[in-house]
Amino acid sequence: MQSERTLRFWDDFYNAQEPSSDKEWILQPSQPLLQRLSQCLEKRGSCRILEIGCGTSSLGRELWKYMRTNPPAGEEQPSVHLLATDVSEVCIRQNQERDSELIDQRENASLEYKVLNIVKSDPELEGKFDFILDKGCLDTFLFRSRQRGGGSQSYGEHVRSAIDNIQSWLSKDGVYVILSPRIKFKTVREYAGFSSVDRFEQNPAELQLGDLEGEEGD
């Protein structure tokens, strides 16, 4: 379980932001990015998406809108359900207020924000999602972890718990997508719970970069 100090840090961070502002880490939700992400589930008539560590980014919301309005050629409008989550109650409250007009619970589409601590198991989410979206969430744990892994070394407890939970929340053929500036992600590659790991490089010239704060180190 993350410490109360860490939870307070993120609540304080979002309290200090403008309530209506979108904080975009790493990448902006541009058209090329949304198109690439949607291709991960292009053949599905319906899907359930979990976004972890959503912050006040608009990426999850924009992906939800994009997938509903840009179905694959010859297919009807898909049923898309998005649950965007973060450990900060302040962050989630701000998102709910910002997107109050979009939040819906219809049978063919739903957009929801919820507080979720990804290092804590949640049986209600097990096997539920076709797509888990992570923009900078696991990165944050790795930046903070003093155990970098590799060889016989173990990763930090929080990192291991997060990966265990992510894997358990995916459906049988689910896809976990990480958006990261890292060249390598040994944490995921060395985890036995995933059947395969693919790396997709994107041309920075085609994307709109977001903020990248902090330095990697112990």
Side-chain angles (χ1 to χ4, degrees):
M1 188 72 173
Q2 297 186 70
S3 68
E4 288 297 323
R5 180 181 177 184
T6 299
L7 302 182
R8 286 197 304 271
F9 169 84
W10 288 113
D11 280 345
D12 291 343
F13 176 85
Y14 289 109
N15 271 322
Q17 306 296 310
E18 291 293 332
S20 59
S21 65
D22 297 338
K23 179 68 172 178
E24 299 294 349
W25 303 96
I26 306 174
L27 292 172
Q28 303 278 349
S30 61
Q31 187 81 358
L33 177 60
L34 297 175
Q35 182 179 21
R36 183 69 188 88
L37 291 174
S38 69
Q39 290 171 351
C40 295
L41 291 164
E42 190 171 18
K43 295 182 180 179
R44 297 179 185 271
S46 65
C47 65
R48 294 187 175 275
I49 302 171
L50 172 67
E51 182 181 15
I52 56 174
C54 66
T56 53
S57 168
S58 62
L59 177 60
R61 180 192 69 200
E62 294 306 311
L63 178 62
W64 176 75
K65 291 163 61 176
Y66 180 89
M67 292 183 66
R68 294 184 63 219
T69 56
N70 293 273
E75 295 188 17
E76 298 181 355
Q77 185 183 65
S79 173
V80 184
H81 303 272
L82 172 72
L83 175 61
T85 66
D86 197 277
V87 73
S88 168
E89 294 183 4
V90 174
C91 163
I92 294 301
R93 184 171 64 250
Q94 290 179 355
N95 289 344
Q96 290 171 334
E97 294 173 355
R98 180 193 66 188
D99 296 335
S100 59
E101 295 183 359
L102 290 174
I103 293 176
D104 205 344
Q105 294 295 323
R106 290 174 292 173
E107 290 185 1
N108 67 337
S110 62
L111 171 64
E112 182 182 1
Y113 290 101
K114 176 183 176 180
V115 175
L116 177 68
N117 189 332
I118 69 165
V119 303
K120 183 179 179 180
S121 62
D122 189 334
E124 293 185 2
L125 303 183
E126 289 187 5
K128 189 174 181 179
F129 298 97
D130 306 298
F131 186 6
I132 294 182
L133 176 61
D134 174 349
K135 185 177 75 165
C137 184
L138 195 59
D139 268 319
T140 300
F141 285 99
L142 292 174
F143 286 150
R144 298 173 67 91
S145 177
R146 293 182 179 275
Q147 294 174 298
R148 295 295 173 184
S152 61
Q153 285 185 295
S154 61
Y155 293 101
E157 179 183 352
H158 289 164
V159 176
R160 294 196 305 272
S161 296
I163 292 292
D164 282 341
N165 289 331
I166 289 167
Q167 195 276 334
S168 72
W169 296 336
L170 285 170
S171 62
K172 181 180 179 181
D173 298 317
V175 179
Y176 173 37
V177 176
I178 304 173
L179 300 179
S180 171
R182 292 174 179 268
I183 297 176
K184 296 181 179 180
F185 239 113
K186 291 183 179 180
T187 315
V188 176
R189 286 191 175 277
E190 296 176 0
Y191 182 79
F194 296 110
S195 60
S196 64
V197 178
D198 297 317
R199 177 185 173 193
F200 297 96
E201 293 188 21
Q202 292 291 119
N203 183 355
E206 298 177 351
L207 302 173
Q208 299 176 26
L209 300 182
D211 296 326
L212 184 59
E213 301 179 8
E215 297 180 356
E216 183 176 356
D218 291 335

